[in-house]
Amino acid sequence: MANEMEELLDFLSSPSPPVKKAAVDIVRDLTGSEEGLLSLSAYSNTALTSLASLMSEKKEVSEPAAEALVNLSQNSDLSAKLVSMGMIKTVMDILYKPEACITRLLVMLLVNLTRIDTGIAALLQVDDEKMHGLYVMKLVRSFCISTEKNGDPFEHVGSILVNISQREAGRKLLVDPKRGLLKQITRQFDSTNLLRKKGVSGTIRNCCFEADSQIQNLLLISEFLWPTLLLPVAGNKIYSEEDTSKMPRELGIVLSIEREPVDDPEIRVQALEAVYLIVLQDAGRRAFWSVNGTRILQVGYEDEEDPKVMEAYERVGSLLVEGSAED
């Protein structure tokens, strides 16, 4: 005889809409507690398959189903099961249907699924030469056209980009100049949304780990890259005309007026780590000097109070001193 949990999961496929709705709400609520998650994990194959099948239904059913899957996918084992079931493709298919109504939850589910290597590989479509990168291109486009006025349902794409850029295949895809993805992503740093800004800065920082082989491709977008990396660490002072005259126009204009500081220390550390990885390369170091980057770091360091950020400044500074001595 079926026990209570088995009966509950059977109701997820009930032909009666009210019964199905009641069952999915109960399952969603169970995923909100450790005890409930543990109970469902014992029946994960049935639970995950049934919930996945509900995500293309009307919002009253698809929303709690997606909420349950977001909670369940925080467990790496369950996340791996979802990926093996083809959940990445399922999510992407539903996400871009005209009637999609749970966009934010679907994107959050992708964030969890790309915390594991198999999820990253599935999103990158590494096994399909013709389709490779298509999903990521779609998400980047959505990330760049989504606005805060409509609730910004794609804001969590920044976290997906951070996840996939932790792997070499993801970094190479994003840095590829023919696709132009990193240029699009970098321009989103102007957003007032902190989640977006963190996603952009984290993605750029990760991509700079490819600087030894991709420095020229990174410098191709220097018009957008340097402001994104240097403005957060430029301090609060208004720069003199002498300083800004040695900078590109897009940097000099901003630094010559009062501006909103980047208060989040994590973003400042990520920016400095990216600069460090760039100036490790001769071409990167020359490009950094050409935008008067050393002066920016000097002024920014004077204003900095966070010890971790100060340490990141000092790391870049010591590298520049060594580099100038060698040159």
Side-chain angles (χ1 to χ4, degrees), residues 218-237:
L218 287 168
L219 294 178
L220 279 175
I221 61 166
S222 58
E223 176 186 355
F224 308 101
L225 187 64
W226 288 129
T228 301
L229 296 180
L230 292 176
L231 290 177
V233 298
N236 304 322
K237 294 185 178 69

PDB file of all heavy atoms in Angstrom, residues 218-237:
ATOM      1  N   LEU A 218      40.186  40.766 -24.573  1.00  0.00           N
ATOM      2  CA  LEU A 218      39.699  41.571 -23.450  1.00  0.00           C
ATOM      3  C   LEU A 218      39.897  43.063 -23.734  1.00  0.00           C
ATOM      4  O   LEU A 218      39.015  43.879 -23.463  1.00  0.00           O
ATOM      5  CB  LEU A 218      40.432  41.177 -22.165  1.00  0.00           C
ATOM      6  CG  LEU A 218      40.056  39.826 -21.554  1.00  0.00           C
ATOM      7  CD1 LEU A 218      41.048  39.428 -20.468  1.00  0.00           C
ATOM      8  CD2 LEU A 218      38.642  39.860 -20.991  1.00  0.00           C
ATOM      9  N   LEU A 219      41.049  43.409 -24.301  1.00  0.00           N
ATOM     10  CA  LEU A 219      41.340  44.821 -24.565  1.00  0.00           C
ATOM     11  C   LEU A 219      40.514  45.377 -25.723  1.00  0.00           C
ATOM     12  O   LEU A 219      40.386  46.602 -25.856  1.00  0.00           O
ATOM     13  CB  LEU A 219      42.834  45.011 -24.834  1.00  0.00           C
ATOM     14  CG  LEU A 219      43.751  44.721 -23.636  1.00  0.00           C
ATOM     15  CD1 LEU A 219      45.208  44.902 -24.022  1.00  0.00           C
ATOM     16  CD2 LEU A 219      43.402  45.614 -22.439  1.00  0.00           C
ATOM     17  N   LEU A 220      39.939  44.482 -26.533  1.00  0.00           N
ATOM     18  CA  LEU A 220      39.064  44.952 -27.614  1.00  0.00           C
ATOM     19  C   LEU A 220      37.850  45.702 -27.065  1.00  0.00           C
ATOM     20  O   LEU A 220      37.281  46.557 -27.749  1.00  0.00           O
ATOM     21  CB  LEU A 220      38.583  43.763 -28.456  1.00  0.00           C
ATOM     22  CG  LEU A 220      39.536  43.214 -29.517  1.00  0.00           C
ATOM     23  CD1 LEU A 220      38.933  41.975 -30.166  1.00  0.00           C
ATOM     24  CD2 LEU A 220      39.837  44.269 -30.572  1.00  0.00           C
ATOM     25  N   ILE A 221      37.455  45.377 -25.833  1.00  0.00           N
ATOM     26  CA  ILE A 221      36.299  46.052 -25.230  1.00  0.00           C
ATOM     27  C   ILE A 221      36.747  47.016 -24.120  1.00  0.00           C
ATOM     28  O   ILE A 221      36.000  47.296 -23.199  1.00  0.00           O
ATOM     29  CB  ILE A 221      35.266  45.045 -24.684  1.00  0.00           C
ATOM     30  CG1 ILE A 221      35.875  44.162 -23.574  1.00  0.00           C
ATOM     31  CG2 ILE A 221      34.704  44.186 -25.792  1.00  0.00           C
ATOM     32  CD1 ILE A 221      34.826  43.410 -22.777  1.00  0.00           C
ATOM     33  N   SER A 222      37.992  47.508 -24.227  1.00  0.00           N
ATOM     34  CA  SER A 222      38.544  48.366 -23.164  1.00  0.00           C
ATOM     35  C   SER A 222      37.722  49.629 -22.940  1.00  0.00           C
ATOM     36  O   SER A 222      37.687  50.156 -21.830  1.00  0.00           O
ATOM     37  CB  SER A 222      39.996  48.743 -23.487  1.00  0.00           C
ATOM     38  OG  SER A 222      40.073  49.414 -24.734  1.00  0.00           O
ATOM     39  N   GLU A 223      37.025  50.095 -23.966  1.00  0.00           N
ATOM     40  CA  GLU A 223      36.174  51.274 -23.822  1.00  0.00           C
ATOM     41  C   GLU A 223      35.133  51.075 -22.720  1.00  0.00           C
ATOM     42  O   GLU A 223      34.740  52.033 -22.041  1.00  0.00           O
ATOM     43  CB  GLU A 223      35.486  51.556 -25.170  1.00  0.00           C
ATOM     44  CG  GLU A 223      34.480  52.697 -25.144  1.00  0.00           C
ATOM     45  CD  GLU A 223      33.728  52.822 -26.452  1.00  0.00           C
ATOM     46  OE1 GLU A 223      34.052  52.091 -27.419  1.00  0.00           O
ATOM     47  OE2 GLU A 223      32.784  53.637 -26.508  1.00  0.00           O
ATOM     48  N   PHE A 224      34.674  49.843 -22.563  1.00  0.00           N
ATOM     49  CA  PHE A 224      33.687  49.520 -21.528  1.00  0.00           C
ATOM     50  C   PHE A 224      34.336  48.847 -20.322  1.00  0.00           C
ATOM     51  O   PHE A 224      33.857  48.988 -19.194  1.00  0.00           O
ATOM     52  CB  PHE A 224      32.609  48.593 -22.114  1.00  0.00           C
ATOM     53  CG  PHE A 224      31.989  49.116 -23.373  1.00  0.00           C
ATOM     54  CD1 PHE A 224      32.376  48.621 -24.608  1.00  0.00           C
ATOM     55  CD2 PHE A 224      31.031  50.123 -23.326  1.00  0.00           C
ATOM     56  CE1 PHE A 224      31.819  49.119 -25.781  1.00  0.00           C
ATOM     57  CE2 PHE A 224      30.471  50.625 -24.490  1.00  0.00           C
ATOM     58  CZ  PHE A 224      30.866  50.120 -25.725  1.00  0.00           C
ATOM     59  N   LEU A 225      35.410  48.114 -20.573  1.00  0.00           N
ATOM     60  CA  LEU A 225      36.049  47.342 -19.511  1.00  0.00           C
ATOM     61  C   LEU A 225      36.714  48.234 -18.465  1.00  0.00           C
ATOM     62  O   LEU A 225      36.522  48.029 -17.255  1.00  0.00           O
ATOM     63  CB  LEU A 225      37.091  46.405 -20.119  1.00  0.00           C
ATOM     64  CG  LEU A 225      37.737  45.392 -19.167  1.00  0.00           C
ATOM     65  CD1 LEU A 225      36.691  44.421 -18.643  1.00  0.00           C
ATOM     66  CD2 LEU A 225      38.858  44.637 -19.879  1.00  0.00           C
ATOM     67  N   TRP A 226      37.502  49.229 -18.896  1.00  0.00           N
ATOM     68  CA  TRP A 226      38.204  50.060 -17.914  1.00  0.00           C
ATOM     69  C   TRP A 226      37.255  50.841 -17.003  1.00  0.00           C
ATOM     70  O   TRP A 226      37.461  50.856 -15.787  1.00  0.00           O
ATOM     71  CB  TRP A 226      39.187  50.997 -18.609  1.00  0.00           C
ATOM     72  CG  TRP A 226      40.406  50.328 -19.169  1.00  0.00           C
ATOM     73  CD1 TRP A 226      40.905  50.432 -20.429  1.00  0.00           C
ATOM     74  CD2 TRP A 226      41.292  49.430 -18.478  1.00  0.00           C
ATOM     75  NE1 TRP A 226      42.028  49.657 -20.584  1.00  0.00           N
ATOM     76  CE2 TRP A 226      42.299  49.036 -19.395  1.00  0.00           C
ATOM     77  CE3 TRP A 226      41.343  48.920 -17.184  1.00  0.00           C
ATOM     78  CZ2 TRP A 226      43.333  48.164 -19.061  1.00  0.00           C
ATOM     79  CZ3 TRP A 226      42.369  48.049 -16.842  1.00  0.00           C
ATOM     80  CH2 TRP A 226      43.346  47.678 -17.767  1.00  0.00           C
ATOM     81  N   PRO A 227      36.212  51.496 -17.528  1.00  0.00           N
ATOM     82  CA  PRO A 227      35.284  52.160 -16.594  1.00  0.00           C
ATOM     83  C   PRO A 227      34.649  51.198 -15.597  1.00  0.00           C
ATOM     84  O   PRO A 227      34.495  51.524 -14.420  1.00  0.00           O
ATOM     85  CB  PRO A 227      34.232  52.772 -17.529  1.00  0.00           C
ATOM     86  CG  PRO A 227      34.944  52.981 -18.816  1.00  0.00           C
ATOM     87  CD  PRO A 227      35.888  51.814 -18.935  1.00  0.00           C
ATOM     88  N   THR A 228      34.302  49.987 -16.057  1.00  0.00           N
ATOM     89  CA  THR A 228      33.668  49.005 -15.178  1.00  0.00           C
ATOM     90  C   THR A 228      34.608  48.568 -14.062  1.00  0.00           C
ATOM     91  O   THR A 228      34.187  48.367 -12.915  1.00  0.00           O
ATOM     92  CB  THR A 228      33.218  47.780 -15.987  1.00  0.00           C
ATOM     93  OG1 THR A 228      32.302  48.209 -16.999  1.00  0.00           O
ATOM     94  CG2 THR A 228      32.536  46.758 -15.101  1.00  0.00           C
ATOM     95  N   LEU A 229      35.902  48.450 -14.379  1.00  0.00           N
ATOM     96  CA  LEU A 229      36.869  47.990 -13.385  1.00  0.00           C
ATOM     97  C   LEU A 229      37.428  49.120 -12.530  1.00  0.00           C
ATOM     98  O   LEU A 229      37.716  48.921 -11.342  1.00  0.00           O
ATOM     99  CB  LEU A 229      38.027  47.264 -14.082  1.00  0.00           C
ATOM    100  CG  LEU A 229      37.671  45.971 -14.826  1.00  0.00           C
ATOM    101  CD1 LEU A 229      38.918  45.364 -15.453  1.00  0.00           C
ATOM    102  CD2 LEU A 229      37.007  44.973 -13.891  1.00  0.00           C
ATOM    103  N   LEU A 230      37.583  50.310 -13.094  1.00  0.00           N
ATOM    104  CA  LEU A 230      38.293  51.373 -12.383  1.00  0.00           C
ATOM    105  C   LEU A 230      37.381  52.346 -11.633  1.00  0.00           C
ATOM    106  O   LEU A 230      37.780  52.864 -10.588  1.00  0.00           O
ATOM    107  CB  LEU A 230      39.189  52.138 -13.368  1.00  0.00           C
ATOM    108  CG  LEU A 230      40.363  51.316 -13.917  1.00  0.00           C
ATOM    109  CD1 LEU A 230      41.134  52.122 -14.960  1.00  0.00           C
ATOM    110  CD2 LEU A 230      41.291  50.867 -12.796  1.00  0.00           C
ATOM    111  N   LEU A 231      36.186  52.588 -12.130  1.00  0.00           N
ATOM    112  CA  LEU A 231      35.310  53.526 -11.419  1.00  0.00           C
ATOM    113  C   LEU A 231      34.957  53.050 -10.003  1.00  0.00           C
ATOM    114  O   LEU A 231      34.926  53.864  -9.073  1.00  0.00           O
ATOM    115  CB  LEU A 231      34.034  53.790 -12.232  1.00  0.00           C
ATOM    116  CG  LEU A 231      34.248  54.600 -13.516  1.00  0.00           C
ATOM    117  CD1 LEU A 231      32.947  54.742 -14.287  1.00  0.00           C
ATOM    118  CD2 LEU A 231      34.832  55.972 -13.196  1.00  0.00           C
ATOM    119  N   PRO A 232      34.714  51.748  -9.789  1.00  0.00           N
ATOM    120  CA  PRO A 232      34.410  51.319  -8.413  1.00  0.00           C
ATOM    121  C   PRO A 232      35.570  51.520  -7.435  1.00  0.00           C
ATOM    122  O   PRO A 232      35.342  51.605  -6.228  1.00  0.00           O
ATOM    123  CB  PRO A 232      34.111  49.818  -8.572  1.00  0.00           C
ATOM    124  CG  PRO A 232      33.732  49.645  -9.991  1.00  0.00           C
ATOM    125  CD  PRO A 232      34.561  50.637 -10.748  1.00  0.00           C
ATOM    126  N   VAL A 233      36.801  51.578  -7.938  1.00  0.00           N
ATOM    127  CA  VAL A 233      37.968  51.666  -7.049  1.00  0.00           C
ATOM    128  C   VAL A 233      38.676  53.008  -7.174  1.00  0.00           C
ATOM    129  O   VAL A 233      39.825  53.161  -6.768  1.00  0.00           O
ATOM    130  CB  VAL A 233      38.955  50.509  -7.326  1.00  0.00           C
ATOM    131  CG1 VAL A 233      38.280  49.173  -7.036  1.00  0.00           C
ATOM    132  CG2 VAL A 233      39.472  50.531  -8.765  1.00  0.00           C
ATOM    133  N   ALA A 234      37.970  54.001  -7.723  1.00  0.00           N
ATOM    134  CA  ALA A 234      38.591  55.304  -7.969  1.00  0.00           C
ATOM    135  C   ALA A 234      38.470  56.257  -6.791  1.00  0.00           C
ATOM    136  O   ALA A 234      38.961  57.389  -6.853  1.00  0.00           O
ATOM    137  CB  ALA A 234      37.962  55.946  -9.216  1.00  0.00           C
ATOM    138  N   GLY A 235      37.822  55.815  -5.718  1.00  0.00           N
ATOM    139  CA  GLY A 235      37.657  56.700  -4.567  1.00  0.00           C
ATOM    140  C   GLY A 235      36.550  57.711  -4.787  1.00  0.00           C
ATOM    141  O   GLY A 235      35.812  57.657  -5.776  1.00  0.00           O
ATOM    142  N   ASN A 236      36.435  58.660  -3.866  1.00  0.00           N
ATOM    143  CA  ASN A 236      35.330  59.619  -3.897  1.00  0.00           C
ATOM    144  C   ASN A 236      35.741  61.013  -4.367  1.00  0.00           C
ATOM    145  O   ASN A 236      34.900  61.884  -4.559  1.00  0.00           O
ATOM    146  CB  ASN A 236      34.718  59.743  -2.494  1.00  0.00           C
ATOM    147  CG  ASN A 236      34.272  58.398  -1.941  1.00  0.00           C
ATOM    148  OD1 ASN A 236      33.751  57.566  -2.689  1.00  0.00           O
ATOM    149  ND2 ASN A 236      34.491  58.169  -0.654  1.00  0.00           N
ATOM    150  N   LYS A 237      37.031  61.242  -4.527  1.00  0.00           N
ATOM    151  CA  LYS A 237      37.506  62.582  -4.887  1.00  0.00           C
ATOM    152  C   LYS A 237      37.162  62.944  -6.326  1.00  0.00           C
ATOM    153  O   LYS A 237      37.031  62.077  -7.187  1.00  0.00           O
ATOM    154  CB  LYS A 237      39.029  62.656  -4.702  1.00  0.00           C
ATOM    155  CG  LYS A 237      39.513  62.538  -3.266  1.00  0.00           C
ATOM    156  CD  LYS A 237      41.022  62.741  -3.197  1.00  0.00           C
ATOM    157  CE  LYS A 237      41.527  62.678  -1.752  1.00  0.00           C
ATOM    158  NZ  LYS A 237      41.424  61.326  -1.193  1.00  0.00           N
TER     159      LYS A 237
END
